[in-house]
Structure formats: C-alpha cells, structure tokens
Amino acid sequence: PGLSEQDNRDTVGFSVVPPDTNGDIGFDAAGARVYVQYINSVWGVFDVTGNLIAGPFAGNSFWTGFGGFCETNNDGDPVVLYDDHAGQWFFSQFSVLEGVQCVAVSTSSNPLGPYHRYAFLVTPGGNNDYPKLGVWDDGTTSSVGQSAYTFTLRDFGGAGGSFSVSAGVMERDAMLVGAPAQFIKFINPCTAGDCVEGQLPPHMDGPQAPADTCPTFWTAVDSAYDDSPHANDGYRNHTLCVDWSNTNNSTYTEGPLVVAGSNFDRFLGNGFSDCISPVQGGEVLDCLAAFTMFRAQYRWFGDNARVVLNTTVDAGGDRAGIRWAEVRSADGDSGWFLQQDGTYAPDDGLERWMGSIAQDQDGNIALGYSVTGADLFPSVRYTTRTPGDPPGTMAGGEVSCHEGTGAQTASSNRWGDYSSMSVDPSDDCTFWY
C-alpha cells in the first residue's frame, strides 16, 4: 500500500497535501532488490513483495547532525533516484524559503546510509520551488566530462526576478565520493510571458550516453497557451554543456523545436487547479497541465538516443488526457526529431492526468497516471505499448493498479505534483510505478 498520511502523522506529527508520490527501484547493501519511496514528508524502504522493511523516517532524517536548514526543515518536494551505474542512492528535498536544495548520496548501495550530504544555495535571496532531478552519466571522470546530477527549479525571487525557471547540474563525480562539489545553474527569465514553464531535467536509464554527451532539458509547448516564441505545438530542448574545470565556460543553448505530430491543448482550468472535475463524492482536483511531467527519461540504444515525455492536455470538452511523445537523436545530444506521439484518453468520460512515462531496453513503453470521474473515485492505472504497435498508440490497453475507495473533500483541491515510472536495473525490463 505504500506510505500514508497516517505515517506522516505518526512520524512528523502532521498531515501533508499534496503527497508528491515518487520512488525508485534499486539494490540494498546485500544486493537484494528494494523499492525506496519518498513522499511529503516521510520515506521508507520496501522489499519487492511490498513489505516495509525500514521506516517510515522523517524526510529530513538524511541530514541529522549535518546542521543548517537541511537538518532543521522538512519542507518536502522530495526526489529519490537510484544511480544505476554508481550503485548509490540519491535523495533530495528543498528548504524552500531559504533557496537551499538538500542532497544526500549514499556511500554504498545501502539506502539506509551513511551519506555524503550537501546543501546547495540554488536560489540566493529567493525560493526554489518544484525541484526536479535526474542522473546523467556519460562514462567520463574528466573535468570536461558531462557526469552530473541534473535539476530544474521554479525560482521565486532571487537573480531571475519575481519568477523564473532554471536548469542546472551538480558535480556528480565529486558527490559520489563525498568531495566538495560544484553546481551551475542557468536562469530562464520570463520574457513577454515566456518562462519556459514546466522544464524537466533528463534522467538516464540503461547504458551510459556516449562520452562528452551533454544533457538535454525538455519542455512541452502549447503555442496558444505557453507564450513561447514558437508558432507550433511541440517540445523545446535546451542543451547544457558543463566544464567542471572552469564552470564559466559552460553553455546552455536552445535547439530547434521538435514539432508535435498534431496540435494539443493545455487549456484546463487555470493550468494548475480547478481542472479535474467532477470527482465522485469529492472536490475538484488540480491537474498541473502547465507542467511537463516527471520524468524526462533518456535512454541510449547504441545507435540512437530516445527521450519519452508526457503532459496533461484537454482531450476534448475540458476532459483531461495525457499527451505523450518519443523523441530521438542519432548522436544523443543534437538533431532531435519526433519519432511518435499521441494523446491517451479513451472515450469513456473519465479524466486521466498526473502521468509518468518510461521506456525499457527493448523499446517497450509504460505510462502510469491517475484517473477519476463522476462515478469513479480517484484511482491509479497504467497503459503500455510495444515497438511493434502502431505508432502513436498505447495498444496495451488500460490496467488497474488500484481502484480508489474514497475522495478528498477539503484539501484545497490538491491531489499531487508528480509521480514516477521507474525501470528495474536488475533486468532493465520491469517497470515500477
């Protein structure tokens, strides 16, 4: 069943909305497969049959004895990742009012620690909202290599002005061994309403990218909604190349828009809330249609790279559906083009949103999401496709993970901010949502 609001009350003494559900599958110190879940404001370790084997712990317990805001505050917006190639766990949450991003990297494959711990002042003089993070590994250890932990932020205040969206990287090789680590951040200031809202960092599954391949950041664009300079719907890509020996030499450049196969519409509610309605027995829920949804999964196939993306859209009649896409590049960091895309919204009157998507080593794709309607409590389902299915379709049908048994009635319409679809490193084939 995963961690619950009761776990929050028992562990930290209060309830939290939204839960910000995410987790990852990896290994423990004995080499056994475990799933680590990290939600607002607790985390725990499960075995692969669903038994809680450690926790729940307070979200800020990673920084006990570390001092400062990371130890004192338990603000949430957490992310947990298993760094497949290093065999180490990565944990992060914000200390939002101080503009600090707290990071803990396990010293081994044991998610229970000990940890190398960091407090990065990512938004001086402001607030670092909605941090999203990923693993990037190009197989290098040199200062000009691109090994990094990638991140994006919604900055309120600070150098970017009243609001901006930022993309950056943390010095992964140093963090894996507990050495002093650098980070670099590029700010996308809002220009004529264009804020590059909803940008996601890349997260790598499977083989390493070719040496010196720079990470590419992704943003879904509805040309009629997002105030972008692009006249077509599609996917913006910004490439960040870092020079760890002289970070002033680092670059962040926008590439050509990857144009969608057909237009999509992100006009749902106000783009954030008041958009998932009606819900059986409960209140209207938020949809976060303005955001590209975690994660932007990158995978190298030896002769091409693939990134899968998803965002919530209006599938017609103000009914939420999920627009998903697969983009490709021959060299892994340039010349991106659309391989396929589609909107998953079966004609049954139900709303589908809050998706997360991933691809395995054989090119199979899984998309998990929430679903609800006038006669359906909010529930969790998924759909799939294989490489042989018609392009742009999720031909695997809809499968239920969990059918809801109730509805929220007084949560300020908050449902969640993100979820996570992961691929098991033990076989690079099994999906965990």
Side-chain angles (χ1 to χ4, degrees), residues 218 235 292 295-296 307-311 323-327 357:
W218 292 93
Y235 304 91
T292 317
R295 309 170 181 168
V307 173
V308 286
L309 304 162
N310 87 99
T311 188
R323 182 64 170 228
W324 63 275
E326 178 189 2
V327 298
I357 191 170

Side-chain angles (χ1 to χ4, degrees), residues 136 209-210 213-216 218 237 239 256 258 297-309 326-340 359:
W136 189 260
T213 299
C214 300
T216 300
W218 292 93
N237 58 97
T239 300
V258 178
Q297 187 222 33
Y298 176 105
R299 181 178 286 275
W300 175 250
F301 280 87
D303 58 1
N304 72 91
R306 307 177 191 180
V307 173
V308 286
L309 304 162
E326 178 189 2
V327 298
R328 294 190 183 185
S329 163
D331 64 8
D333 67 353
S334 64
W336 292 98
F337 65 92
L338 182 71
Q339 176 68 19
Q340 58 176 330
Q359 187 173 62

Side-chain angles (χ1 to χ4, degrees), residues 276-282 348-353 371-379:
I276 303 299
S277 174
V279 173
Q280 178 179 338
D348 55 9
L350 298 178
E351 310 236 28
R352 293 168 176 84
W353 84 109
V371 57
T372 194
D375 299 314
L376 178 69
F377 291 129
S379 302

Side-chain angles (χ1 to χ4, degrees), residues 215-250:
T216 300
F217 292 68
W218 292 93
T219 320
V221 173
D222 174 356
S223 61
Y225 174 85
D226 289 306
D227 298 315
S228 82
H230 299 286
N232 298 304
D233 294 352
Y235 304 91
R236 297 174 83 165
N237 58 97
H238 289 74
T239 300
L240 196 165
C241 295
V242 64
D243 182 344
W244 289 120
S245 62
N246 184 353
T247 56
N248 291 327
N249 292 336
S250 303

Side-chain angles (χ1 to χ4, degrees), residues 39-52:
I39 65 173
N40 290 338
S41 291
V42 294
W43 68 282
V45 182
F46 295 82
D47 66 23
V48 292
T49 62
N51 298 305
L52 182 66

Side-chain angles (χ1 to χ4, degrees), residues 26-111:
F27 298 98
D28 67 8
R33 293 153 64 230
V34 293
Y35 189 88
V36 179
Q37 187 186 35
Y38 191 4
I39 65 173
N40 290 338
S41 291
V42 294
W43 68 282
V45 182
F46 295 82
D47 66 23
V48 292
T49 62
N51 298 305
L52 182 66
I53 57 177
F57 307 105
N60 59 342
S61 62
F62 299 104
W63 298 276
T64 299
F66 181 64
F69 298 120
C70 293
E71 178 178 6
T72 303
N73 297 337
N74 190 15
D75 289 346
D77 266 26
V79 170
V80 52
L81 302 167
Y82 184 71
D83 189 331
D84 294 359
H85 296 288
Q88 292 167 246
W89 290 89
F90 175 97
F91 303 89
S92 186
Q93 69 173 12
F94 60 21
S95 182
V96 62
L97 297 181
E98 292 74 32
V100 171
Q101 195 65 36
C102 306
V103 176
V105 179
S106 64
T107 63
S108 69
S109 60
N110 188 353

